[in-house]
Amino acid sequence: MAIDTAVAHHLLDQHAEALRLLDQVHSELPRSGLTDHSLTQQIAIFGAMGEIEEIERLLTAGSGEEFLPIETAWTQLTAAHELRAHGFDREAIQHFKEARNIRFDNFWKSKNQFAQIFVFHNDHGQAMAERYCGDVKVARAQYDLII
């Protein structure tokens, strides 16, 4: 419930209260899927606030051994989408690339053909961010690789 309330505060631009609630979740619950979800919400809030250093700190914390690669990719993707949504396109590109590398590795090792859609998603996100940065040639080259 606290995470849902924090999301509502985030959507209302009440970032301080949202972060307070998420910090409370982290202090009261052991590391779990629930707290991992709160980590992605913290990253989203810091993306909306343009706090690049805080995002990097959380991404470092969210890539430890207790996290599965898919969880690490998800936090990278969350950062990419939030940064892109708030005009931090250059920073978003790097996070799309990081998520793609993790997801491609997972796709390659698992031989799961359905996992390829996640790689496509990251390639598409990176190409869009490149386009928004004004790098039309790079974006077109990226889309040529996708197609």
Side-chain angles (χ1 to χ4, degrees):
M1 183 79 154
I3 295 175
D4 292 336
T5 304
V7 170
H9 283 292
H10 166 56
L11 294 174
L12 295 170
D13 289 329
Q14 299 168 352
H15 303 298
E17 181 60 15
L19 290 171
R20 185 192 69 73
L21 288 168
L22 294 172
D23 284 341
Q24 181 181 341
V25 169
H26 280 283
S27 69
E28 294 176 1
L29 293 176
R31 183 60 85 204
S32 70
L34 184 61
T35 54
D36 295 346
H37 181 62
S38 72
L39 176 69
T40 60
Q41 292 305 315
Q42 283 179 303
I43 290 169
I45 293 164
F46 284 124
M49 296 168 63
E51 296 285 343
I52 308 301
E53 296 82 21
E54 285 297 317
I55 291 172
E56 296 304 324
R57 183 184 64 77
L58 290 171
L59 287 172
T60 299
S63 62
E65 289 181 12
E66 69 273 17
F67 290 90
L68 296 171
I70 197 73
E71 293 169 320
T72 302
W74 185 252
T75 58
Q76 288 285 347
L77 191 58
T78 298
H81 279 289
E82 283 296 324
L83 290 167
R84 172 54 217 109
H86 296 284
F88 298 96
D89 299 305
R90 286 273 167 233
E91 293 82 357
I93 291 168
Q94 186 57 40
H95 296 293
F96 278 119
K97 287 179 182 179
E98 291 290 330
R100 187 224 189 263
N101 290 341
I102 295 166
R103 286 175 157 183
F104 183 79
D105 189 53
N106 179 58
F107 160 68
W108 187 255
K109 287 178 181 174
S110 71
K111 303 294 184 207
N112 176 353
Q113 292 301 310
F114 294 110
Q116 191 170 14
I117 191 66
F118 297 114
V119 176
F120 167 81
H121 182 185
N122 290 107
D123 288 343
H124 170 62
Q126 179 186 339
M128 285 185 63
E130 296 280 7
R131 170 65 181 91
Y132 289 128
C133 285
D135 296 333
V136 177
K137 274 186 160 178
V138 174
R140 284 186 189 196
Q142 183 72 24
Y143 277 120
D144 284 343
L145 289 174
I146 293 171
I147 298 169

